[in-house]
Amino acid sequence: MTEPIILAIESSCDETSAAVIRGGKVLSNIIATQAVHEQYGGVVPELASRAHQQNIIPVVSEALRKANVAKKELNAVAFTRGPGLLGALLVGCSFAKSFALGLDIPLIEVNHMQAHILAHFIEEPRPAFPFLCLTVSGGHTQIVLVKDHLAMEVIGQTTDDAVGEAFDKTAKMLGLPYPGGPMLDKMAAQGNPDAFEFPVGNMPDYNFSFSGIKTAVLYFLQRQTKENPAFVQENLADICASVQQTLIKTLLKKLVQASLDLNVRDVAIAGGVSANSGLRKALQAYAPKYNWQVYIPAFEYCTDNAAMIAMAAHYQYLKGDFASQYVSPEPRMKI
Ligand code: KG4
Ligand code: ZN
């Protein structure tokens, strides 16, 4: 089978997504975003599971229709096994298992974090091995040494909050609506990043910490609003730009260190926070200084999507790496 056709399903958090890939080329990538969480200011796990149940059949049908692929043409079905929310993962896992059983085709379990990195292989230009990937999402902050499509080593990670959480929690403190990260990014574009100073996280090796910055922002806001209750309102863009710059500096400091120590110049970013315009710009600005070849995914492949799951499944299919019908979700799955 030189050109396997695979249906992939992503349901780890609050996006229900399905994609079809043929011979490593993505034919469709349908994403249903769950608006139900907006009123709660964050993802409510039980509501996410229910919304996945409602979305999954229409999303899969649309992915097959758009790809112009019939069910009987499929060579395998892939799904996100973890990490993610247990109830949300269960929906995709159960659906994929029944689909594979009904069609009598192999099942492929995909690691969501590995898939975020493999999103770089959906389109040209593709990074060369080995490369470093800063994988930044709502649940993870890692520096990964990518030796091959399926051979990855986490060389550094956060010891507390993920950077996506730092974005989201700061946005919440500033009264910005959910989802906080993209809103903070938008506001930051109009502000002065040097207006206020926050501490850049400093952990040993290639590890990160974001809880200190979060607390520093909280105390700073409490102090300032005591003197001037309209402080946030009057300085919103500058606060956003300053916090964003601090988070980016914290991330890139470790990426630079890893690149110099390991002498790896191909550098990529992946995961939801790689959609951040400040991070994308900063990475490009660092490139000439450190002689980096940088890889930044297209916006649609930064946040959760099934195209990246399909890409991982493609390489797993070629290796004959299939799952059993007894597989269950793994909320804390590691790379
Ligand atoms: O990878 P992802 O879609 O889901 C997880 O696996 O967590 O990442 C979601 C995270 C959220 O924390 C969200 O606020 C953040 O990515 N995010 C952003 C931006 N777009 C998404 N953070 C900062 N700036 C953005 N433009
Ligand atoms: Zn993700």
Side-chain angles (χ1 to χ4, degrees):
M1 180 70 52
T2 49
E3 293 231 314
I5 307 178
I6 305 169
L7 167 72
I9 292 159
E10 155 64 29
S11 73
S12 67
C13 192
D14 60 342
E15 324 272 6
T16 318
S17 181
V20 176
I21 193 167
R22 179 196 281 138
K25 188 171 176 293
V26 173
L27 303 180
S28 63
N29 180 38
I30 306 299
I31 305 171
T33 303
Q34 303 177 359
V36 63
H37 308 288
E38 271 166 32
Q39 59 187 302
Y40 301 98
V43 179
V44 183
E46 180 53 32
L47 294 180
S49 317
R50 287 188 220 169
H52 282 306
Q53 282 184 322
Q54 283 167 349
N55 293 343
I56 198 153
I57 292 174
V59 165
V60 166
S61 304
E62 181 59 11
L64 289 167
R65 193 198 62 76
K66 199 163 173 216
N68 200 17
V69 162
K71 281 182 211 145
K72 62 177 189 316
E73 293 179 84
L74 292 172
N75 299 113
V77 179
F79 69 98
T80 303
R81 185 179 177 200
L85 303 168
L86 177 60
L89 290 166
L90 254 175
V91 178
C93 176
S94 315
F95 187 91
K97 281 206 262 187
S98 351
F99 218 82
L101 199 62
L103 293 170
D104 195 22
I105 53 176
L107 184 65
I108 300 174
E109 51 155 276
V110 171
N111 180 311
H112 181 89
M113 297 313 292
Q114 222 172 39
H116 265 303
I117 297 172
L118 292 173
H120 283 285
F121 293 83
I122 297 173
E123 290 175 339
E124 303 278 349
R126 296 173 176 162
F129 300 115
F131 67 92
L132 285 170
C133 190
L134 176 68
T135 310
V136 278
S137 73
H140 292 81
T141 304
Q142 299 177 328
I143 296 181
V144 183
L145 178 62
V146 187
K147 300 168 190 167
D148 201 349
H149 296 114
L150 301 170
M152 304 184 182
E153 185 190 341
V154 178
I155 60 167
Q157 58 195 319
T158 183
T159 50
D160 41 52
D161 290 353
V163 68
E165 268 180 286
F167 269 104
D168 295 340
K169 287 178 181 171
T170 308
K172 212 169 183 174
M173 283 187 236
L174 295 170
L176 294 174
Y178 168 89
M183 283 302 289
L184 195 144
D185 184 4
K186 225 184 222 169
M187 289 306 303
Q190 300 153 36
N192 171 10
D194 298 317
F196 306 107
E197 204 171 316
F198 299 106
V200 174
N202 202 6
M203 294 295 290
D205 307 320
Y206 311 123
N207 296 320
F208 303 97
S209 167
F210 292 100
S211 60
I213 301 174
K214 191 183 64 188
T215 315
V217 174
L218 178 69
Y219 289 158
F220 168 78
L221 294 177
Q222 282 174 349
R223 251 189 343 262
Q224 298 292 337
T225 45
K226 217 171 173 181
E227 282 170 31
N228 171 15
F231 177 78
V232 171
Q233 228 174 323
E234 288 166 9
N235 298 278
L236 187 57
D238 286 350
I239 304 169
C240 288
S242 304
V243 172
Q244 179 167 300
Q245 173 166 270
T246 309
L247 294 174
I248 293 169
K249 271 191 184 165
T250 305
L251 290 171
L252 293 186
K253 192 173 154 191
K254 296 295 178 175
L255 192 58
V256 165
Q257 197 182 320
S259 156
L260 294 175
D261 290 353
L262 303 176
N263 197 22
V264 174
R265 310 283 173 199
D266 270 36
V267 172
I269 50 173
V273 181
S274 64
N276 182 268
S277 53
L279 178 60
R280 296 165 86 92
K281 255 188 236 150
L283 198 72
Q284 261 152 352
Y286 277 48
K289 186 165 171 202
Y290 296 104
N291 206 9
W292 280 352
Q293 191 71 41
V294 297
Y295 298 88
I296 299 173
F299 280 113
E300 64 175 310
Y301 303 130
C302 288
T303 43
D304 293 346
N305 66 86
M308 66 185 198
I309 306 300
M311 204 66 240
H314 171 75
Y315 293 114
Q316 289 179 241
Y317 187 98
L318 298 183
K319 258 183 68 185
D321 179 7
F322 301 122
S324 106
Q325 273 289 332
Y326 295 104
V327 68
S328 51
E330 206 179 310
R332 293 178 182 277
M333 196 172 186
K334 302 232 180 320
I335 277 185

